[in-house]
Amino acid sequence: QEAPAEAIVKRFAEEGGWVMLQNCHLMSSWVPRLERLLEVVSEDAHEDFRCFISAEPPAMASMRNMPESLMQSCIKVANEAPSDVQSNLIRAWDNFSPATFESCSKPNEMKACLFS
């Protein structure tokens, strides 16, 4: 997986384009190479080049799964799940519009199936 990811980053850096590298926390041994690659290609990258990286936070705050210098050079977006059950259920319900339930022939049964 590393070679195709590196190839697409190089290609899009030259030609312009967006690339999404997902679950980079699972490739901790490769991430330093990615960091170096991004440093090299960013020097003369196409103005339309964007590289998006997704990674889960480490299990404990003392652990590191992404290089600090890479994290400092990026714009970070966090999506954290609520910590309590009530907030988590409210967040889950917000994914469904009233129209979803109204269009169903058995809305009460559907609600029961979704969150049983």
Side-chain angles (χ1 to χ4, degrees):
Q1 292 177 338
E2 296 94 339
E6 290 174 12
I8 200 76
V9 167
K10 289 176 186 175
R11 188 176 120 216
F12 284 176
E14 291 174 10
E15 301 172 6
W18 291 14
V19 61
M20 174 71 179
L21 304 174
Q22 294 180 304
N23 298 321
C24 288
H25 63 282
L26 300 175
M27 304 289 292
S28 58
S29 62
W30 174 71
V31 171
R33 271 192 13 220
L34 171 64
E35 179 183 23
R36 180 66 187 136
L37 174 63
L38 290 172
E39 287 174 7
V40 170
V41 300
S42 68
E43 292 176 6
D44 58 343
H46 192 279
E47 66 179 15
D48 293 330
F49 172 64
R50 301 291 183 275
C51 181
F52 298 89
I53 300 172
S54 77
E56 290 184 5
M60 297 187 327
S62 61
M63 299 170 67
R64 300 279 184 253
N65 62 358
M66 298 295 285
E68 189 173 332
S69 56
L70 180 62
M71 295 295 291
Q72 289 175 347
S73 66
C74 296
I75 297 171
K76 290 159 282 301
V77 177
N79 184 12
E80 296 181 21
S83 59
D84 61 273
V85 175
Q86 181 181 1
S87 298
N88 210 352
L89 284 172
I90 290 170
R91 181 179 178 188
W93 275 111
D94 285 341
N95 289 322
F96 298 95
S97 68
T100 303
F101 297 111
E102 291 167 5
S103 67
C104 181
S105 62
K106 297 182 178 183
N108 290 335
E109 289 82 352
M110 181 180 173
K111 290 177 188 177
C113 287
L114 284 175
F115 297 101
S116 60

